[in-house]
Amino acid sequence: MQGNIACAEGALAAGCSFFGGYPITPSTEVAEHMARILPKKGGTFIQMEDELASISSIIGASWAGARSMTATSGPGFSLMMENIGYAVMTETPIVIVNIQRGGPSTGQPTMGAQGDMMQCRFGSHGDYSTIALVPSTVQEMFDLTAKAFNLADRFRCPVFLMSDEIIGHMREKVTIPEEVDIIRRRPLKEGKLPFEPEDDMIPGFPEFGKGYRVHVTGLTHDERGYPEATNCELHSELVTRLVNKIESKRHEIADYDIINPQAEIVFITYGPPGRAVRQLMHDYSDLEIGHLNLRIVWPFPEKVLKEFPNASKFIVPELNMGQMAREIQRHTSIEVESLPKIGGEMHTPDELFRAMGGDS
Amino acid sequence: MKSVEDWYRHDRMPHIFCTGCGNGTVINCTLEAVMQMGWDIDNTIFISGIGCSSRSPGYITTDSLHTTHGRALAFATGVKLAKPEFDVVVFTGDGDLSAIGGNHFIHACRRNINMTVICMNNMIYGMTGGQGSPCTPAGAISTTTPYGATEPVFDLARLAEASGANYSARWTAYHVKELTKAIKVGMEIPGFSFIEAMTQCPTSYGRRNKLRTTTSMLEYMRDNAVLLNKAKRMEAEGRELSPGRFTVGEFVKRFRPALGVVKDEE
C-alpha cells in the first residue's frame, strides 16, 4: 500500500467523516482516496477553492461534531497558517497532514523534505504549542494518522501529521487492524461554561446544535466564550493555558523507540532518516550504535535524552538544514552534531557511517 | 417564540456599534425573518468573518462562529456540509466578503450551497477606522483614498447572480420592510441566497463625505436607490444611472440544484 493511501485509510479507521482539501503534489493521493471512499461511508469530501478554505471548512465541520482533516504540502501549508492559529485559539480538534516537499516556495514538488518542522511549531502568529507526529514507515502512516485524531480530540487542538514525499509515495506492507482505538472528545459537562477548563486544563467540547448556544471567536475570550480583547490578565491566563495543556503532558504522550541505550554515539531521527539508521545498524551489527527514533516530535520530550547515559555525541540526520538538531541542543550539554541533507534524497547508511567517524 | 428579543444574547449588551450605525437594523430585519421562518434557536448557526458586521453573531444567542477575515463562507461550508440539517446564516461586510473573501464568495455561489448570506455593505472598512473598500463609490473620501476613490466598485448582488446563487437581492437599512422580506425569501429558497444590505456608517464614511448625520445617510440611501425595474426601463430607453445611484430589488430567484439540501426540504 502507498503511504498516502495508508494515511487516508488510517483516518477512515479513526472515524474521520469530513475531508476538505485542495490538490497539491505530493499529497494529492490522500484527497483522491478520501474522495473515493468517504461518500460511500456517509461522510463528506469537498474540494475547496484553496487551502485557506480547506482548513476553514474542516474547522467548521469539527464544530458541527465531525472528525475532520485536510492534507497538503508546503505551499498549501503556508496558506493554512492563519487558521491554524484560529484552531489553536478556539480549541478546535482538527488533523492536518503535511506531505512535505522541498522548499522554500514552489521548490521541489516531487521531492521529499522535512523543512516545515519549525513552521508547524511556530508558523502561525502568537504563542502556542502544538502536537506533531512523524511516520517513518507506511505502517506508521496508518497508525499515526489514526492516533492523531485521538490526540486532537483529547487536547482540543490542531494535530499535525508531518510526513514527506518519501514515505507518502513509498509502498510497503501494511497490517490494518480489525479496529483502532477511538477516544472521542469529551463533551462539555453540565454546569460548566463553554470554555471553562477541567482539571487537565482542557474544556469539554460544546458541539454545535446540542443546545449549548456557544459563541466561538478567535478573539481573546473569557470562559463564556465572550470577547475580552483588552483584558491583560485574561489574555495571559488563556494563552498560558493553551500552551500548558499540551506542554505539561509532553512526556506522557511521547512516542519513540530506543535501541542500544548504552551506546556512546547515538542517532536521533524522525521520519525517513530513521530508516537509514536502521539499515546502518543492520549493515554494521558489530558496532554499538544508539538510536532514538521519535514518532512525536512536538511537544519535544526532552527527558528522553537522559535515556542514553553513556552518550558522548548525538548525531541528528534531518532532511532540512538542522531544524530539530537546534531544539535537541538546547536541552543537553552533550555534543549535538547536525547532519543536514536537502535536495530530495535520503541519507545513505554510508553517509551516516562517515558521520560516526568511520571510513567506508 | 414570541419576540425578536428572545434571539438576542442579553448579557453581551451593550454592543460595540457606533451611534447611528445601520448594523442593528439589519440584525433586527434578519431576526424578524428568522422568526417568521419559525426556526429553532438550537438548530440555527450564525457565522461571520471580521469587521463591524461580523460582530453581529456575538449578540445573538444561537451557536455562532466568529471566524477569520474573509473566510466565513468557507467555515460555513464545513458546518453546513457536516450537518446539513442546520439552518446557517452568514453575516459579512463589503470588505470581508468582496476583498479578502472574494474567492470564497464566488465559489460558495457557484456551489450554490444552501445558506443565507447577508452582507452589510457600508462602503467602508469601519472597524479599522474608515479605509476604502471595493465598494467605496468613486470620488468618496476615505483614509486610504484621501483624494477621492478612483477604482470602480463591485456590484455584489450581480456578482452573486453571475456566480450561480439561487437568490440575490439588494436593499438598504432604509428599506426595512423590503429587506426583511428579501431575507425571508432567501431563507425559504434552497441553495445560496445572497442579500446585500446597504447600511449607513456615519462615523467612518458619512463624516468624511458630507453625510455626517444618520438621517442624512439614510436619506442618501433612499434618494439614490433605484428600483431594478425602473433601471431596466431606463436602460431600454438608452439612459444610464447617474453616478452614485444604485439599483435595489430582486436580481435573481431560481431553483437550480443546490448543495447541502436535506432531502425532505426538496
Side-chain angles (χ1 to χ4, degrees), chain A residues 83 209 213-217, chain B residues 9 11 42 63-64 66 68 111:
Chain A
N83 281 329
R213 303 187 181 180
V214 59
H215 179 57
V216 181
T217 177
Chain B
R9 201 181 275 276
D11 61 350
D42 290 325
D63 289 325
S64 56
H66 175 227
T68 45
R111 289 189 186 102

Side-chain angles (χ1 to χ4, degrees), chain B residues 47-240:
Chain B
I47 299 173
S48 63
I50 292 292
C52 295
S53 60
S54 292
R55 285 305 194 98
S56 309
Y59 303 114
I60 299 172
T61 192
T62 65
D63 289 325
S64 56
L65 202 55
H66 175 227
T67 71
T68 45
H69 201 19
R71 320 278 168 239
L73 289 172
F75 280 87
T77 299
V79 172
K80 181 67 182 175
L81 291 184
K83 279 266 173 70
E85 57 268 36
F86 284 157
D87 293 312
V88 174
V89 181
V90 174
F91 281 124
T92 181
D94 46 314
D96 193 52
L97 184 77
S98 72
I100 192 166
N103 199 29
H104 308 308
F105 179 40
I106 57 175
H107 284 278
C109 291
R110 176 183 62 81
R111 289 189 186 102
N112 202 15
I113 183 165
N114 189 18
M115 57 178 66
T116 306
V117 178
I118 297 154
C119 176
M120 302 177 190
N121 177 4
N122 60 4
M123 307 177 284
I124 202 84
Y125 284 87
M127 181 69 83
T128 45
Q131 297 75 36
S133 91
C135 295
T136 301
I141 306 295
S142 75
T143 62
T144 50
T145 57
Y147 310 111
T150 54
E151 299 174 10
V153 299
F154 255 139
D155 187 329
L156 302 179
R158 290 182 62 201
L159 184 59
E161 177 188 358
S163 304
N166 259 358
Y167 184 76
S168 177
R170 174 163 53 224
W171 291 101
T172 79
Y174 173 81
H175 302 87
V176 171
K177 283 184 182 163
E178 294 88 341
L179 177 59
T180 306
K181 189 170 172 226
I183 294 171
K184 178 163 181 273
V185 172
M187 288 171 170
E188 286 166 344
I189 291 176
F192 193 90
S193 296
F194 178 70
I195 298 96
E196 180 182 348
M198 306 278 291
T199 58
Q200 73 275 13
C201 176
T203 304
S204 284
Y205 183 82
R207 184 158 53 104
R208 298 188 178 93
N209 290 285
K210 296 181 181 143
L211 297 162
R212 188 171 284 272
T213 63
T214 308
T215 41
S216 61
M217 281 222 71
L218 283 165
E219 282 162 6
Y220 165 86
M221 292 193 288
R222 178 194 65 193
D223 298 341
N224 286 292
V226 180
L227 286 171
L228 203 50
N229 285 341
K230 187 179 173 190
K232 280 178 186 161
R233 274 203 309 277
M234 287 170 66
E235 197 179 340
E237 292 163 9
R239 290 190 291 152
E240 279 188 19

Side-chain angles (χ1 to χ4, degrees), chain A residues 12 91 95 136 150 169 178 189 194 197 211 213 222 239 273 281 291 297 308 313-314 326 328 345:
Chain A
L12 293 164
E91 303 187 68
V95 172
S136 68
N150 286 345
H169 284 161
E178 289 281 318
K189 285 205 177 87
R213 303 187 181 180
D222 62 20
V239 175
M281 293 166 81
H291 187 196
V297 169
F308 298 90
K313 183 154 88 170
F314 291 126
R326 219 172 299 150
I328 293 163
E345 287 178 333

Side-chain angles (χ1 to χ4, degrees), chain A residues 8-130:
Chain A
E9 283 292 327
L12 293 164
C16 173
S17 61
F18 189 100
F19 186 99
Y22 187 83
I24 184 167
T25 304
S27 79
T28 307
E29 294 85 359
V30 183
E32 287 173 340
H33 196 66
M34 295 303 259
R36 274 192 299 269
I37 308 296
L38 262 181
K40 290 185 193 168
K41 289 190 146 197
T44 302
F45 170 89
I46 184 158
Q47 182 172 322
M48 295 301 286
E49 52 272 20
D50 55 32
E51 288 88 348
L52 308 165
S54 300
I55 185 167
S56 302
S57 74
I58 68 168
I59 295 171
S62 182
W63 278 98
R67 279 195 153 184
S68 60
M69 80 181 279
T70 188
T72 188
S73 190
F77 197 55
S78 292
L79 287 180
M80 291 182 183
M81 285 302 135
E82 174 192 36
N83 281 329
I84 286 170
Y86 183 82
V88 166
M89 196 61 153
T90 56
E91 303 187 68
T92 308
I94 50 169
V95 172
I96 300 162
V97 175
N98 181 355
I99 308 297
Q100 295 171 84
R101 66 192 224 186
S105 191
T106 315
Q108 297 178 289
T110 60
M111 304 298 268
Q114 297 181 300
D116 310 345
M117 297 311 296
M118 285 293 162
Q119 188 185 20
C120 100
R121 174 65 186 80
F122 293 106
S124 196
H125 56 277
D127 289 295
Y128 62 100
S129 188
T130 191

